[in-house]
Amino acid sequence: MKIKIDGRRFSAKEGETILNVAKRNKIYIPTLCYHPDLKPQGRCRVCLVEVDGKLVTSCNTKVMDNMEIFTNTKRVKEARKLNIELIYNNHSGEKELEFSVVAKELGIKKSRFEKPKKEIKSPMERDNMKCLLCGRCVQVCGAIQSINNIEFTDRGISTRISTPYDISIKDSACTFCGQCALYCPGNAIRERAYNEKVVRSLMEEMNKIINKKKFIIAQTAPAVRASLGEMFGMKPGTLVTGKMVTALRKLGFDKVFDTDFGADLTIMEEANEFVGRMKEKKNLPLITSCCPAWIKFAEQTFPFLLKNISTCKSPHQMLGAIAKTYYAQKLKLKPKDLMIVSIMPCIAKKFEAQRPEMKISGCNDVDVVLTTREIGRIIKKEKINFTDLRDGEFDDPLGISSGGGAIFGVTGGVMEAALRVAYEILTGKRLKEIDFNQVRGFEGIREADIKIDNKIIKVGVVHGLGNIRKFIESDRWKKYHFIEMMACPGGCIGGGGQPRPTTNEIRKKRMEALYRQDKKMKIRMSNKNPAIKKLYLEFLGEPLGEMSKKLLHTKYKKRKVKYT
Amino acid sequence: MQILRKSNWEGFKKITKMKRKEIINKVKESGLKGRSGSNFLTGLKWELIGKGTRYLICNADEGEPGTFKDKFILENNPQLMIEGIAIASYAMDIHSAFIYLRGEYSYLKPKLEKIIKQSEIYLKKIKLNIEIVPGAGSYLCGEETAILESIEGNRPIVRRKPPYPSESGLNSNPTCINNVETLANIPLIFLGEWDNNLQLFSLSGDLKKPGIYEIELGTKLEHIISCGKPKKELKAVYFGGSGGCLPYEKFKNLRVDEKTISGKGAVLGARSLIAVGKDRNIVDISKTISEFFVHESCGYCTPCREGNFRVLELLDKIKDRKARIIDVKLLEKLAYHISDTSYCALGVSSTTHLKCALKYFKDEFRV
Ligand code: SF4
């Protein structure tokens, strides 16, 4: 069909919204509550355009043949501005927020409504005073993640977003996947809420610690290198591994290790666990355990699956445990003399790091977890010119990794890395075709039959809690041997701690980056990582051995929360 | 009063001998329009209902300020309404009907249940089940799609149309929603000697005899108001909370119907007239109405939620004589902005009162 926008002719498909057509043709319409991954709501009333003398929201108005649309009239512009002005006082003023960008675009520097609106209290650890009530988080938590832990409550000016019956978030069914925070255009929901230990200014905290003569180690998750650049205006999908390492050194970390190493270690343990369960035909399918939001979800909603979940700790916990033992011994230090800071794309890792099971000789495996967003902010605050940094290299030995560790950050990656190793254990032969393309992709639930030595191994890969719920409740899970679960859409590259904005498009770019990295690596299989080999030789013995069990494995328990 | 006529299922008995199409045509020809203020041709609404399992909802969630005509029917002649529900259900081949009863009217529930019980023989004949659902409390619950959400157990948020409820309503099934007064008039159509122009008016305000009056549409404003016997000289008449106001002296000879009133910038709606004496201050009244909307806005969209809150703030300022000219200008701007850009009809109509007040009583908004 044909339509006209601002006097120019365009063709459009039936069922398309005005906003879609405009976007495709690079016509700017500001938006706030709209997000490409979510259903349009028409709440914020910022994407107004004029049709037939009426103001309509372009995000949820479908085009009609011969429709004539104006995006730029005085009336449109004024109405958009006034709606931004009406919520302007609710925003925090941080420059990079989506809201701030839109406000700036529309030329709004202050609001004519001076007084902040009356205070709204809710026990949720979120800042209602910065909430724009765009409703994205509610949609993400419900329609996408299927947790339905937050909703609009009350009405009129007292409208707020809260948990069922205003219970505290820690008693609630929140899995800490952090997708709500990821979609927030105004920083009202954010990671700070999840961790008392969070470092306000890392430098301040570190100086304190340095006085106590601690040896501070940073480790970075696979997904962080594929997204951190976005915080500094770099294109989604740019790998910034080297710059990230340099920035962390500049911040004063004594060593910078790579969680990819931890991932390789996880694969060694998990692949062996899988082979063992296959042989004994016990507790199959084996389900991956590296995603802490999935673990909490399983503990509270699907406790009958706990025996199927791998007992492996997640990679950063493993690395923490190894650093505080094996590496500390090398330095002739005690576990408590080390401080491990994990830089993660994830908010649930903060929760995970504080689980009582995640300890070795009385010390937490990991002391502090910072998200990609947080470390980005710290780098900015310290005025480090990130884009101009030279590339640095991870430190030895816990900085050496394989391609298998690298792809941990994407949905299907853990599965692929495990299959690479499992193949060799099961067959005793060298794996020639390293890419398992069958498990790659973005489809919410994927499955494949992998042939190893005339045996068919049925594997499933599921990402997004909503898909996971569907997958389990439909009993589909029973027909597999091995399943990978990731709470966040896209896996860790789309994690709750990643830079904003994150969209499915951006997720795919980050994904490609990690596959690129894997392709380029000399060692692509975890069992070929020399540092891993050495670790087993010098310290651990063998996978699933006594030492491994003590340091690298954990257990789960049924968890009671209110209103699942 | 026509609406108090006893029917005792006589109308129903007539229609059971008729074909469905005939019934619908007759209702259409009668010219009966939705009495909630929507003014949509009732017969046409029935005709447009989609296929499959269908529902009927009787909207008894009367919440407009100054409106109490449905209550009058529910108290004084509920049988007529139940019979109307039965006829409508039969005509549309519906077997499940709901009465969405305003929470404040729940004292009427036993009475309604009793009538439903007594009518069993008729209802059984057409296999109709009638269920009373208590209203969820907010003003918005009276909006037809918000009722659907409410009955489904959700937050009452107005649905975007299309799809219209006639296609996809309750639980996504075709649903017809009619108001109490509309349905109560249905049996009368079939009994004959029925006048579509005789409608219920709720009169209140500075009157000696406020109450429900059956008045012919097109009667002069002055004559309507005189039924209620004004206590004093009148300054204005408000049409409920959302219909705005008109200055009384100036328009007392206006023949009141939907078109004449909207021609002057107000909205007749469900025919609730609130008389306002000369001694009253328009800013005070604006404030009261605005408080109502701040309270009742569902909070879904920015202009209605935040805008009405700011309107109230500005009115406070004006009342306290702390406002400046720019404040009044901003108030005016907001009044138009909110109705221009809100998501649903509540927001759109929430500032009609203010637009009228600023049009006819601007001098009272002093700085
Ligand atoms: S206009 Fe907006 S805030 Fe107001 S009642 Fe309708 S949807 Fe809710």
Side-chain angles (χ1 to χ4, degrees):
Chain A
M1 61 180 66
K2 293 257 173 295
I3 62 164
K4 254 188 184 175
I5 305 182
D6 299 331
R8 285 159 62 202
R9 275 172 213 290
F10 296 100
S11 59
K13 285 189 270 320
E14 187 158 350
E16 266 190 305
T17 62
I18 298 176
L19 182 65
N20 277 345
V21 183
K23 278 196 154 180
R24 194 174 55 235
N25 294 297
K26 309 233 156 22
I27 297 167
Y28 176 72
I29 297 176
T31 56
L32 181 63
C33 70
Y34 170 83
H35 188 286
D37 300 353
L38 306 175
K39 264 218 309 263
Q41 315 177 80
R43 269 180 199 277
C44 72
R45 321 301 285 175
V46 172
C47 67
L48 295 167
V49 295
E50 200 171 327
V51 177
D52 264 347
K54 276 205 189 113
L55 293 180
V56 300
T57 39
S58 60
C59 70
N60 59 356
T61 305
K62 300 207 167 111
V63 291
M64 286 194 293
D65 207 11
N66 295 321
M67 200 183 225
E68 194 156 6
I69 300 149
F70 298 93
T71 69
N72 245 330
T73 61
K74 189 166 167 248
R75 180 158 167 233
V76 165
K77 283 194 207 154
E78 280 188 0
R80 285 174 184 167
K81 274 185 168 173
L82 195 44
N83 278 336
I84 288 283
E85 250 186 276
L86 281 168
I87 42 177
Y88 194 83
N89 285 327
N90 294 32
H91 102 289
S92 61
E94 287 158 73
K95 267 195 245 120
E96 279 111 17
L97 299 177
E98 242 183 291
F99 177 77
S100 320
V101 174
V102 175
K104 198 174 155 205
E105 202 76 55
L106 298 183
I108 294 163
K109 294 194 194 82
K110 71 190 241 310
S111 167
R112 272 171 285 178
F113 311 103
E114 298 295 350
K115 263 190 293 172
K117 74 178 185 188
K118 72 174 178 200
E119 186 157 355
I120 304 167
K121 286 214 174 77
S122 104
M124 243 177 100
E125 296 176 51
R126 54 195 298 290
D127 192 341
N128 280 310
M129 298 311 287
K130 286 179 187 165
C131 178
L132 308 159
L133 293 170
C134 70
R136 285 184 185 175
C137 55
V138 173
Q139 231 189 93
V140 173
C141 187
I144 296 190
Q145 297 295 66
S146 82
I147 306 299
N148 285 303
N149 194 46
I150 46 175
E151 241 306 348
F152 285 87
T153 184
D154 221 321
R155 64 186 197 234
I157 199 70
S158 311
T159 309
R160 64 182 191 279
I161 289 163
S162 189
T163 53
Y165 303 101
D166 284 342
I167 57 171
S168 117
I169 199 100
K170 67 176 197 305
D171 301 329
S172 77
C174 176
T175 62
F176 306 113
C177 73
Q179 289 296 308
C180 53
L182 186 62
Y183 281 77
C184 180
N187 210 22
I189 304 188
R190 54 188 186 276
E191 51 275 70
R192 216 153 267 180
Y194 298 121
N195 190 0
E196 315 89 68
K197 264 203 196 153
V198 127
V199 191
R200 255 175 204 282
S201 151
L202 187 73
M203 299 312 266
E204 255 170 52
E205 193 73 10
M206 288 220 305
N207 286 335
K208 258 194 267 162
I209 295 160
I210 288 163
N211 287 337
K212 285 190 228 138
K213 296 213 184 52
K214 282 219 185 192
F215 192 86
I216 310 182
I217 295 170
Q219 60 165 321
T220 64
V224 177
R225 67 207 63 180
S227 66
L228 183 61
E230 292 165 34
M231 300 276 300
F232 305 94
M234 297 163 88
K235 276 214 192 83
T238 315
L239 278 174
V240 294
T241 322
K243 293 189 196 306
M244 172 181 74
V245 172
T246 308
L248 292 172
R249 287 228 170 83
K250 278 189 180 272
L251 287 176
F253 286 101
D254 294 309
K255 291 281 172 203
V256 182
F257 288 151
D258 193 351
T259 311
D260 288 18
F261 172 90
D264 280 336
L265 191 53
T266 305
I267 284 305
M268 291 305 290
E269 296 291 322
E270 199 162 340
N272 278 287
E273 196 180 8
F274 175 63
V275 171
R277 289 201 197 181
M278 280 297 278
K279 281 192 184 135
E280 288 175 35
K281 297 210 165 41
K282 231 180 99 189
N283 292 338
L284 288 170
L286 174 71
I287 306 177
T288 58
S289 61
C290 37
C291 171
W294 146 243
I295 294 295
K296 184 163 185 273
F297 187 44
E299 285 180 322
Q300 66 199 28
T301 313
F302 306 111
F304 56 91
L305 281 179
L306 295 180
K307 62 178 190 328
N308 293 75
I309 297 176
S310 159
T311 56
C312 289
K313 287 182 181 174
S314 73
H316 83 121
Q317 297 290 152
M318 282 199 181
L319 191 141
I322 293 297
K324 287 196 176 178
T325 52
Y326 171 69
Y327 187 65
Q329 277 171 25
K330 286 195 177 233
L331 297 177
K332 303 207 166 37
L333 291 172
K334 296 208 182 69
K336 67 170 172 36
D337 299 328
L338 261 61
M339 181 183 181
I340 313 283
V341 179
S342 298
I343 320 281
M344 298 283 124
C346 179
I347 291 176
K349 295 271 185 225
K350 294 183 185 243
F351 166 76
E352 179 187 40
Q354 285 170 44
R355 291 178 67 120
E357 306 88 7
M358 299 291 175
K359 279 186 194 294
I360 29 122
S361 45
C363 275
N364 287 337
D365 298 343
V366 167
D367 300 278
V368 173
V369 175
L370 297 174
T371 62
T372 314
R373 284 197 295 274
E374 282 173 309
I375 200 69
R377 257 182 258 144
I378 292 167
I379 293 171
K380 279 185 192 169
K381 210 165 160 201
E382 293 304 317
K383 305 218 159 46
I384 294 171
N385 195 346
F386 188 82
T387 44
D388 292 345
L389 290 178
R390 288 239 195 105
D391 285 350
E393 298 238 353
F394 286 113
D395 288 300
D396 285 349
L398 310 188
I400 299 170
S401 64
S402 80
I407 55 174
F408 247 66
V410 304
T411 164
V414 181
M415 178 61 71
E416 181 166 348
L419 287 173
R420 290 177 188 175
V421 175
Y423 178 92
E424 296 205 342
I425 307 175
L426 282 168
T427 62
K429 286 187 227 144
R430 242 190 77 221
L431 176 66
K432 284 192 210 94
E433 189 45 65
I434 291 178
D435 292 345
F436 284 84
N437 284 318
Q438 309 96 300
V439 298
R440 296 188 182 182
F442 203 74
E443 202 53 30
I445 302 174
R446 305 191 294 285
E447 53 185 357
D449 289 347
I450 308 285
K451 213 169 150 199
I452 299 184
D453 245 8
N454 292 326
K455 252 203 205 131
I456 297 287
I457 296 186
K458 286 188 167 306
V459 302
V461 175
V462 192
H463 60 126
L465 290 174
N467 293 325
I468 292 180
R469 184 191 288 276
K470 240 192 281 160
F471 184 76
I472 299 174
E473 285 179 351
S474 68
D475 272 359
R476 237 172 111 175
W477 62 275
K478 287 181 179 157
K479 61 177 211 205
Y480 299 93
H481 298 109
F482 195 2
I483 303 167
E484 178 202 292
M485 303 278 204
M486 294 279 185
C488 294
C492 312
I493 44 97
Q498 291 283 59
R500 302 174 181 128
T502 291
T503 62
N504 286 340
E505 280 317 302
I506 294 176
R507 285 184 168 101
K508 284 178 195 153
K509 300 232 168 76
R510 294 176 189 156
M511 227 159 138
E512 284 156 19
L514 289 187
Y515 281 124
R516 255 190 345 258
Q517 183 195 342
D518 168 39
K519 257 255 135 67
K520 271 203 293 215
M521 291 186 74
K522 269 193 241 98
I523 312 164
R524 295 188 60 198
M525 298 180 46
S526 307
N527 54 347
K528 307 271 162 68
N529 178 343
I532 292 279
K533 285 190 192 161
K534 200 165 160 212
L535 172 68
Y536 277 107
L537 206 66
E538 287 180 2
F539 185 68
L540 286 173
E542 53 180 9
L544 302 177
E546 200 186 316
M547 197 62 157
S548 289
K549 283 233 161 96
K550 196 170 132 212
L551 295 179
L552 308 180
H553 290 260
T554 182
K555 34 182 191 309
Y556 315 104
K557 57 169 191 287
K558 192 171 164 177
R559 191 178 284 272
K560 259 208 148 127
V561 297
K562 290 182 184 153
Y563 315 112
T564 41
Chain B
M1 273 173 144
Q2 161 175 293
I3 204 73
L4 292 182
R5 215 168 132 190
K6 297 285 174 227
S7 161
N8 289 327
W9 296 90
E10 288 307 319
F12 178 79
K13 282 177 199 154
K14 283 198 177 154
I15 62 110
T16 43
K17 296 192 193 89
M18 292 165 75
K19 289 208 183 91
R20 296 207 153 97
K21 195 146 177 61
E22 275 171 15
I23 304 171
I24 293 180
N25 276 339
K26 174 115 187 171
V27 173
K28 229 164 89 181
E29 280 158 21
S30 78
L32 176 68
K33 289 178 178 173
R35 293 284 173 89
S36 61
S38 68
N39 285 310
F40 191 82
L41 207 57
T42 306
L44 185 60
K45 204 175 201 177
W46 291 11
E47 196 177 75
L48 289 175
I49 189 116
K51 293 201 176 61
T53 310
R54 303 155 175 165
Y55 297 110
L56 177 76
I57 296 169
C58 166
N59 184 354
D61 193 70
E62 179 179 51
E64 183 64 32
T67 311
F68 40 98
K69 61 175 182 77
D70 291 345
K71 180 173 172 233
F72 180 81
I73 297 172
L74 290 165
E75 277 181 346
N76 299 304
N77 201 5
Q79 188 274 333
L80 204 56
M81 176 193 85
I82 304 276
E83 192 176 328
I85 293 175
I87 296 175
S89 300
Y90 180 73
M92 287 180 277
D93 195 13
I94 286 170
H95 302 282
S96 180
F98 300 87
I99 300 173
Y100 190 77
L101 186 66
R102 183 178 183 201
E104 285 82 348
Y105 294 175
S106 56
Y107 68 97
L108 291 165
K109 198 175 167 213
K111 189 171 172 178
L112 290 173
E113 275 168 347
K114 203 170 137 205
I115 297 173
I116 294 172
K117 193 107 220 279
Q118 285 164 353
S119 315
E120 231 169 23
I121 29 163
Y122 304 109
L123 302 181
K124 264 207 179 131
K125 220 169 165 177
I126 56 169
K127 296 198 188 71
L128 175 64
N129 180 50
I130 303 179
E131 192 184 321
I132 301 174
V133 185
S138 78
Y139 172 66
L140 196 59
C141 286
E143 198 279 340
E144 57 173 18
T145 60
I147 292 185
L148 301 174
E149 291 293 331
S150 175
I151 297 181
E152 286 178 18
N154 303 327
R155 237 176 118 72
I157 300 288
V158 171
R159 292 184 187 171
R160 231 181 112 78
K161 301 174 200 167
Y164 290 89
S166 57
E167 277 304 318
S168 168
L170 191 61
N171 304 327
S172 305
N173 289 324
T175 305
C176 174
I177 301 136
N178 284 142
N179 161 267
V180 171
E181 190 186 341
T182 315
L183 286 166
N185 273 289
I186 297 291
L188 302 177
I189 295 175
F190 294 92
L191 288 180
E193 287 178 54
W194 169 77
D195 185 353
N196 189 15
N197 272 337
L198 275 181
Q199 307 196 353
L200 296 185
F201 281 72
S202 315
L203 303 186
S204 63
D206 289 324
L207 302 174
K208 279 189 220 126
K209 284 186 156 289
I212 298 297
Y213 294 87
E214 198 169 68
I215 300 170
E216 202 169 337
L217 217 57
T219 305
K220 277 189 188 167
L221 181 62
E222 190 179 17
H223 290 150
I224 297 177
I225 290 294
S226 69
C227 297
K229 309 226 168 352
K231 276 190 205 156
K232 44 184 145 184
E233 272 191 68
L234 296 183
K235 178 189 269 182
V237 172
Y238 274 81
F239 300 93
S242 61
C245 64
L246 293 180
Y248 181 68
E249 281 301 327
K250 191 167 173 195
F251 291 120
K252 65 181 181 192
N253 286 322
L254 196 69
R255 293 195 174 275
V256 174
D257 66 28
E258 208 218 333
K259 285 208 188 83
T260 53
I261 300 296
S262 58
K264 304 295 174 213
V267 180
L268 180 58
R271 301 167 309 283
S272 330
L273 274 53
I274 307 170
V276 170
K278 278 232 159 99
D279 53 335
R280 296 193 189 268
N281 181 295
I282 292 291
V283 174
D284 283 349
I285 297 172
S286 302
K287 246 197 77 183
T288 310
I289 300 179
S290 158
E291 270 161 12
F292 174 78
F293 284 111
V294 169
H295 183 63
E296 293 298 349
S297 158
C298 80
Y300 186 90
C301 71
T302 309
C304 170
R305 179 189 68 236
E306 307 286 334
N308 275 308
F309 177 72
R310 299 301 177 177
V311 162
L312 186 56
E313 233 175 44
L314 290 166
L315 285 170
D316 263 327
K317 245 180 162 179
I318 294 168
K319 188 177 173 230
D320 299 344
R321 305 299 298 268
K322 283 188 191 135
R324 289 170 301 162
I325 293 177
I326 51 163
D327 292 321
V328 180
K329 281 208 174 123
L330 189 55
L331 179 70
E332 194 158 6
K333 187 154 194 172
L334 272 178
Y336 285 89
H337 175 77
I338 293 168
S339 53
D340 247 14
T341 69
S342 283
Y343 173 81
C344 84
L346 186 152
V348 170
S349 62
S350 67
T351 49
T352 310
H353 76 98
L354 204 56
K355 287 193 277 187
C356 289
L358 285 161
K359 183 169 173 188
Y360 296 114
F361 303 100
K362 185 84 179 253
D363 52 330
E364 296 198 26
F365 291 79
R366 256 165 283 170
V367 292

